[in-house]
Amino acid sequence: MTTASNTRTITKPSTETARKRSHKWVWLFEEGSADRRDLLGGKGAGVAEMTRAGLPVPPGFTITTEACNAFYETGKTFPEGLWDQVLAALAHLEKKTGKHFGDARNPLLVSVRSGAKFSMPGMMDTVLNLGLNATTLKGLTELTGDERFALDAYRRFIQLFGKIVLGIDGDLFEHELDAVKKKTKAESDAALTPKALLDVIDRYKGIVEREGNAPFPEDPVDQLRAAIGAVFDSWNNKRAIDYRNFNKIPHDLGTAVNVQTMVFGNMGNDSGTGVAFTRDPNTGEKVLFGEYLVNAQGEDVVAGIRTPQEIVQMETELPEVYRQFEKIAKKLERHYRDVQDMEFTIEKGKLFMLQTRTGKRTAQAAVQIAVDMVHERLISRKEAVLRIEPQQINQLLHRQIDPKAEVSLITTGLAASPGAASGKAVFDADRAEEMAAAGAKVLLVRIETNPDDVHGMFAAEGVLTARGGRTSHAAVVARGMGKPCVAGAEKLDVDLKGRKFTCSGITVREGDTITIDGTTGRVISGEVPLVDPTMSGALEELLSWADKFRRLQVWANADYPRDAERAVSFGAEGVGLCRTEHMFMEQERLPIVQRMILAPSAEGRQKELDLLLPIQRSDFEGIFTAMDGKPVIIRLIDPPLHEFLPSHETLLVEVTKLEQEGGHAKELEEKRKLLHAVESFREQNPMLGLRGCRLGLLFPEIITMQARAILEAAVRVMKKGITVHPEIMVPLVGHRTELQRTMAVIRHVADEVFTEAGTEVPYLIGTMIELPRAALTAGQIAEDAEFFSFGTNDLTQTTLGVSRDDAEGKFLQFYLTEKILSQNPFESIDRQGVGRLMAIAVDEGRKTRPGMSVGICGEHGGDPDSIAFCESLGMNYVSCSPYRVPIARLAAAHARLQETERDR
Amino acid sequence: MTTASNTRTITKPSTETARKRSHKWVWLFEEGSADRRDLLGGKGAGVAEMTRAGLPVPPGFTITTEACNAFYETGKTFPEGLWDQVLAALAHLEKKTGKHFGDARNPLLVSVRSGAKFSMPGMMDTVLNLGLNATTLKGLTELTGDERFALDAYRRFIQLFGKIVLGIDGDLFEHELDAVKKKTKAESDAALTPKALLDVIDRYKGIVEREGNAPFPEDPVDQLRAAIGAVFDSWNNKRAIDYRNFNKIPHDLGTAVNVQTMVFGNMGNDSGTGVAFTRDPNTGEKVLFGEYLVNAQGEDVVAGIRTPQEIVQMETELPEVYRQFEKIAKKLERHYRDVQDMEFTIEKGKLFMLQTRTGKRTAQAAVQIAVDMVHERLISRKEAVLRIEPQQINQLLHRQIDPKAEVSLITTGLAASPGAASGKAVFDADRAEEMAAAGAKVLLVRIETNPDDVHGMFAAEGVLTARGGRTSHAAVVARGMGKPCVAGAEKLDVDLKGRKFTCSGITVREGDTITIDGTTGRVISGEVPLVDPTMSGALEELLSWADKFRRLQVWANADYPRDAERAVSFGAEGVGLCRTEHMFMEQERLPIVQRMILAPSAEGRQKELDLLLPIQRSDFEGIFTAMDGKPVIIRLIDPPLHEFLPSHETLLVEVTKLEQEGGHAKELEEKRKLLHAVESFREQNPMLGLRGCRLGLLFPEIITMQARAILEAAVRVMKKGITVHPEIMVPLVGHRTELQRTMAVIRHVADEVFTEAGTEVPYLIGTMIELPRAALTAGQIAEDAEFFSFGTNDLTQTTLGVSRDDAEGKFLQFYLTEKILSQNPFESIDRQGVGRLMAIAVDEGRKTRPGMSVGICGEHGGDPDSIAFCESLGMNYVSCSPYRVPIARLAAAHARLQETERDR
């Protein structure tokens, strides 16, 4: 018997093996290679590959991700053999560089960096200048001849080590630093004298001793051991976990740790540090793109504390180094067959490559680069298609500010992540999360962002920062999220405490609405009209390749002619869902619909339905015309009728008030009647009540009108020479008999319409599969239904017993945070529950009616993961909102290619 | 490809065969036998069997049920060959009786009666005295020497034929009859002179000619042909369809038609007619039971128009005939090995048996008779068990009037169907249906009932009539329905138009509450306390046999110690569901629960939970004590919290009023706060909201308290020497992770409690399977769950997407009436949808955890059809309300015996 306790003893075989003492935990850079990313992490594999390629990389070694996992499995202890191997690698390093740990004359200093399989920029911890202590400080001073530099390196090291390795509150250090600056009247960190720095170092050591109950560790070997443990620890800090959740990165990969010889970009004006991309990650243009800072350490660039210079400046300032760097960049891109994001440092005129990795890019750039690389014969069309994550395209379909709109410009910053967004300004991440949870659209405004702000960025529509460049934290993370970002808007005077910013005499307080345009860098006061996106030539080309690879058709959900037109322009091959009731909701129609519902008799209903008929018919004519030659599935009325009526609560309050006041006899009487009528339509659980086909069975005159409107429209449009394929869809069928009765009504109307018209239009009648029972009895339902369309929203609600409206505010978020659910079942299909029902329905439906068309029209139809599932079931099409059609086209191609791969 | 249209051409092979001209449509009585019930109907098979046994049966023949079905399939035409065979059988009849159709001297008169496989008393049509016309009238007069009798027979025939065969409104005839009675000052029908009857006949023929546009058919062969068609037609009249729906009789069986020589019970005081049972159908006592009327036709007895005499009177009045009848009755009972319900007629001292069939009986009688017959060695124990329909036992468990109650007696009638009921008096069937639909409990009061009243009887708690005996329509139908009935309460002066009755100076109007006691015949004013039933010795004996045959265990749902005690007294073997939240609802506890829910913090909740702990614990102690040694499954809190809070609507009205009035600042403030709190718990679809295990995950302190109460109670009771088997059940699990987290909380509490107590109690943790996803992933859930219990109420709601509360008032009744659903899925398990999920869960759950206990605790647990399904799935137990335990024991035996039969 399998019991719960059995599962607890299961461990991964790979780790079992890894436990052996002889296992290799540590790899020298020259031993690794790019294909060992799983083991060495992206950064480790990158420097190894560069080392092997003979590029100038500071020597070092990598501790594997396996070591990290073993560390967690044994309750945060180093696995057997690890430490010995680290010491051996260290000895090798000392030999190679001629520098030695703790050496007073030529001390070895190293950086200790995390590096997971997938890049998680800024999420985990890094320690620099490790190896400094009172002894080596002297050596560094002598070696560089720059006491100020050495002291500054030392105080930075103590600060970083204290915060990250020893877990001491960073503000304590900042506080002492500020105190010394004030005391010595230094205006900036750089203005601190060696004496002042010595004071800082003393104060820092005091903090460490006080907070950590032990003096600052002097022995570099102790420092290294502690730093490695801290980097392992940082794999599971809150922001890293959040990031992985958002990016769907598994939590059991572990991080590698890279120990690398320090080089210094802050050794004068012939030194510097920078990051660069082989192509522009915003536009995809084939130019070196990046920034560098003279006389600075790498952290200064990434953190966005100083605004750096464009990389092209380097050509003038350090021409030789620039040419060398350009050559290396080209070589790396060709080597990896993809855009590289490189970190480099120049130490006294000597270029060192610190890292290379596949460059993150905007969707626009990704598409442009993929298409360009095909034309450059660097990659194949299939590779180009597979290289674009379908979700990424969403960014390209972000809305932009209406070019015709008059805007009230506040300032302009860097266009750091494209797209435009409006929202209430909010000045810290927690508040952003709070207000967004309450339903507000917010824009996060910060001086600069750091990893602690990520949850606020998730919650916001977009991000605005006063400092930092296009490779700053805010920019990189916002691009990854596909959210608009304007960075480095330096004129903003941000008062975080006061929850406001001022700029050009304008004050914006928390809650005031502003708009940012991440495509141009504009920051605008108030809300601005946005316009819908169109597709670029590169995207069109890429999607035309994707279309060749996919099998699934992509249809769109469209309720109005304008939706249908847009869907076609995005490549939709049919309308998978036209919700007729949305037409009922329009302002001038609603009163008719209400009168219809409240009519006391079938005759009374009929009178109002006669008014609705020509209106619905004309909508359908528009859609049929837009979809010329393509199928159009129209769903009969679905929602419970009370959704069309005034609010019960409002009426109740009104009636109570009128009663209290006395008089108003006539008004009171009428309101009471209305209240009574609305009451009679109220339901405890309207989701499971009188709706869908149940409505049409109780009130056949409603669907009679709808069927007539559809078929009359089809006849009219056909007579104009347009090809129409109307398909009528019956919602919420649970029993075959429901469909049979409804079909009888429709067939009867069709006979009448065709006789009147003297012509016939071929049409189909099918059903939504949106109740578990429908899926379970699909074999029977397919006796009558001519097609199936999965309504996975409702199918998810009923299969899981979760009302989406209620759950999202109450427990769904909790479930996701607590990992009771690994994904939101309303975003991606729950394969084991809902998916199993779908598989039954496809299988048994087609057994009854071979070759029957089966599609999906729930929101999942635009979700790549769900599209992959639909592909695996052999469905005919997915239908999604018009804006998601391009995503779905690409996702369908991915799904098919992966499916074909699997079948091999 | 299978399409809908294909199915239309499918016909039954049996009918195909039947279409052949040579097919036998007509069977002489002497050709048939009892085992041809399917073909000849119950009545036809009965008279055939009696004829073969040499009993005195008036000769005749039967037209088969196949003929009826063929009649419907060919658009209501006689199948080929039928009419020729009827004419041949008629010729045979003429030869055998020496009488002839249309013969002026010795005319053959026949009855034409329906007779389906299953008895449907009074639901279909019958024509008597067929063959009478102006010519044969003379013959009948001469033959009987009684002109008045012959004329009366003729006018009855015209009236019946006109109404039933020609479809003329019966009131037209009654009106003319009344007019002639008034004119001739006749006080009753019997007082009409031959001259007056001739006048009646003339007027009747006038009606027929006017209404039917043709003269009354004179040719007996034409009369016969039309009458046979009319009987076929009556198979599908509304009341027959209603009856079949209620009794779950298939609609495609068809009725047979019996054509039988007339004998006359109304030829003087040596003639008579009656019905009798071989044993008392109310008590089961082994005595001849029945009634007869001297000088009357059979219809007079059945319709209850005249109140007949007890059958024992016959012994004095017609001793020889009585002795003959007694002998025949015994012979028939032995022959059929069951109680017989016989119709007979005495024509001038000669006894004729007209019909015999298995006698309908009360549940009490059924049990008594089955047990007696086993003791008489007439049937086996297995037969006895199988002979009692489980649903019937429900009657025995009907409540009775508290013997200690003082009652205000209005009058006493016949104890026609046992059990007591209170309800609002209502005087017609439509109104009864209407008021019941609106939620009122009603009692139907009528002078007498007829088949048109059946829908009102369905709706009513019980039936009271002023006329008719214990075999009257009201009595027979009420017994069939298991509803209390007092019949023939002759002192009641019922004013149907005025919607009231008066009796002994008391006036009861529509809506006034009365009580009837069908066990004693009492009619009582107002509502009277009722007491719970106990089991008779015969029932105990029968159930003890049933227990030997069943495999399924029968457990009970019990929320309180008193429920548990009652359940055990009825034979429950465990508690399958103890709903802890019912305990929360009790008056003195609710305020604590409300404070707990509205507490702003976990600490606040804890304070109130501490108060609830000892209360819950003491309930559990009581239940454990009552169930000594038997398992007790306790479900953790399930319903959404707002169910415990005051009504949102009431608060809204109160706040609005206070606001209008002004002042009351403090009260308003408090009410507003409460309103706000209640609002925060409101949900759109609470059925699919924050409830079940979701509550326990969000508020672990609640289930911590519950687990502690359960386990502390178990420890305390165990220390008293009682054996406890607590099983904790987690509701609404959809994902395995939900169960895992909840189990962790419970296990933690258990460790604490057992440590504190210094002892351990073995306990299990399992889950409800009440969401489709739980069933679909049961294989995973069983990794943790130690038992499954199907919550088929919720599983039905989610699988079908039907909220029971909303559906029953809105569309479920419509669906059942319109046959969109063939059964109410909340009464009997929907096998194709819900049942399929159950099968998956049992199968895959046990694959993971072999031998795992699986039960059911939804209301279906007490439904025989659902119990049969549970047996077929190999489940371990069913759990139902204590009162249904005996039913479930019997149903489980039936299910097992049928399952075993099938396996052979």
Side-chain angles (χ1 to χ4, degrees), chain A residues 1-5 7-8 648-650 652-654 656-661 679-691 693-695 697-698 732 734-738 741 743 747 771-778 780 782-784 797-807 810-811 814-815 818-821 825 830-834 836-837 840 844 847-850, chain B residues 1-5 7-8 648-650 652-654 656-661 679-691 693-695 697-698 732 734-738 741 743 747 771-778 780 782-784 797-807 810-811 814-815 818-821 825 830-834 836-837 840 844 847-850:
Chain A
M1 199 165 99
T2 309
T3 64
S5 61
T7 63
R8 284 185 207 128
H648 176 263
E649 238 162 82
T650 311
L652 184 62
V653 169
E654 283 175 3
T656 308
K657 279 185 180 165
L658 287 172
E659 282 172 352
Q660 287 286 102
E661 279 169 16
E679 249 161 19
S680 74
F681 281 97
R682 281 179 95 203
E683 294 179 305
Q684 305 249 340
N685 295 287
M687 247 278 304
L688 310 177
L690 180 52
R691 48 169 293 232
C693 67
R694 298 162 192 173
L695 278 175
L697 290 167
L698 255 75
L732 212 74
H735 291 77
R736 180 188 175 189
T737 42
E738 294 175 311
R741 304 286 171 106
M743 284 177 86
R747 297 259 189 242
L771 293 175
R773 194 183 195 281
L776 292 162
T777 60
Q780 288 170 28
E783 295 275 352
D784 301 290
Q797 297 198 83
T798 45
T799 304
L800 274 61
V802 172
S803 160
R804 182 174 191 177
D805 289 338
D806 296 316
K810 301 238 172 185
F811 62 89
F814 174 83
Y815 267 35
E818 295 292 312
K819 292 190 221 142
I820 296 170
L821 292 182
D830 157 44
R831 295 191 184 199
Q832 295 178 315
V834 175
R836 183 170 179 185
L837 287 175
I840 289 173
E844 299 181 10
K847 241 178 226 154
T848 298
R849 192 180 283 268
Chain B
M1 198 165 101
T2 309
T3 64
S5 60
T7 62
R8 285 185 206 127
H648 176 263
E649 237 161 84
T650 311
L652 185 63
V653 169
E654 283 174 3
T656 307
K657 278 185 182 164
L658 289 170
E659 282 172 351
Q660 288 286 101
E661 279 168 17
E679 248 160 21
S680 74
F681 281 98
R682 280 179 94 203
E683 294 179 306
Q684 305 249 340
N685 294 286
M687 246 279 304
L688 309 178
L690 180 52
R691 48 170 291 231
C693 66
R694 298 161 192 173
L695 278 175
L697 290 166
L698 256 73
L732 213 75
H735 291 77
R736 180 189 174 188
T737 41
E738 293 174 312
R741 305 285 172 106
M743 284 176 86
R747 299 260 188 242
L771 292 176
R773 195 183 194 283
L776 292 162
T777 60
Q780 289 171 29
E783 295 275 352
D784 301 291
Q797 297 198 84
T798 45
T799 305
L800 274 59
V802 172
S803 160
R804 184 175 188 174
D805 289 339
D806 296 316
K810 301 238 174 190
F811 62 88
F814 173 82
Y815 266 36
E818 294 292 312
K819 291 187 224 145
I820 296 169
L821 292 181
D830 157 44
R831 295 191 182 197
Q832 296 179 313
V834 174
R836 183 169 179 185
L837 289 174
I840 288 172
E844 299 180 9
K847 241 177 225 152
T848 299
R849 190 180 284 268

Side-chain angles (χ1 to χ4, degrees), chain A residues 102-314:
Chain A
D103 192 309
R105 278 163 310 169
N106 194 13
L108 174 65
L109 302 184
V110 297
S111 63
V112 181
R113 292 174 201 259
S114 62
K117 177 175 180 186
F118 301 107
S119 171
M120 295 166 53
M123 297 301 145
M124 290 180 297
D125 293 331
T126 290
V127 180
L128 299 176
N129 298 334
L130 189 139
L132 276 178
N133 57 19
T135 315
T136 55
L137 175 64
K138 277 187 215 146
L140 187 61
T141 308
E142 277 168 34
L143 210 65
T144 60
D146 185 345
E147 186 191 7
R148 215 216 131 269
F149 159 73
L151 286 168
D152 192 46
Y154 192 29
R155 79 92 191 155
R156 282 173 190 251
F157 170 55
I158 299 170
Q159 184 169 355
L160 213 56
F161 193 94
K163 185 178 162 194
I164 285 167
V165 181
L166 305 175
I168 297 166
D169 183 359
D171 285 352
L172 298 174
F173 296 106
E174 289 293 344
H175 183 80
E176 292 298 335
L177 186 64
D178 284 349
V180 175
K181 270 154 82 179
K182 200 170 259 174
K183 197 175 111 189
T184 60
K185 299 201 172 86
E187 296 225 331
S188 70
D189 293 3
L192 284 167
T193 60
K195 202 181 145 214
L197 283 168
L198 276 169
D199 187 8
V200 172
I201 287 165
D202 267 357
R203 291 175 185 235
Y204 277 11
K205 287 191 168 173
I207 294 170
V208 167
E209 191 145 4
R210 233 176 12 255
E211 298 291 320
N213 295 321
F216 188 80
E218 283 290 297
D219 184 343
V221 172
D222 292 344
Q223 292 172 358
L224 181 62
R225 188 174 180 120
I228 292 170
V231 173
F232 282 160
D233 268 340
S234 72
W235 172 252
N236 274 340
N237 68 33
K238 186 177 181 311
R239 56 178 200 258
I241 290 172
D242 285 351
Y243 185 91
R244 289 198 296 270
N245 282 341
F246 185 80
N247 290 286
K248 297 190 177 168
I249 297 174
H251 294 290
D252 61 356
L253 295 177
T255 182
V257 182
N258 298 293
V259 178
Q260 189 171 22
T261 315
M262 285 295 298
V263 287
F264 295 95
N266 51 352
M267 289 179 81
N269 287 338
D270 58 350
S271 299
T273 188
V275 298
F277 288 76
T278 54
R279 305 193 188 207
D280 185 331
N282 289 311
T283 64
E285 204 190 340
K286 200 179 172 186
V287 290
L288 260 189
F289 174 96
E291 295 154 328
Y292 83 116
L293 267 172
V294 166
N295 196 16
Q297 289 226 49
E299 274 36 58
D300 301 331
V301 182
V302 175
I305 292 166
R306 277 166 61 192
T307 303
Q309 294 172 282
E310 299 277 325
I311 193 107
V312 287
Q313 287 271 342
M314 214 169 101

Side-chain angles (χ1 to χ4, degrees), chain B residues 600-617:
Chain B
S601 66
E603 293 73 43
R605 275 194 294 279
Q606 194 57 56
K607 204 182 112 207
E608 309 300 337
L609 287 167
D610 290 344
L611 296 176
L612 288 172
L613 174 69
I615 303 175
Q616 284 231 312
R617 187 178 56 213

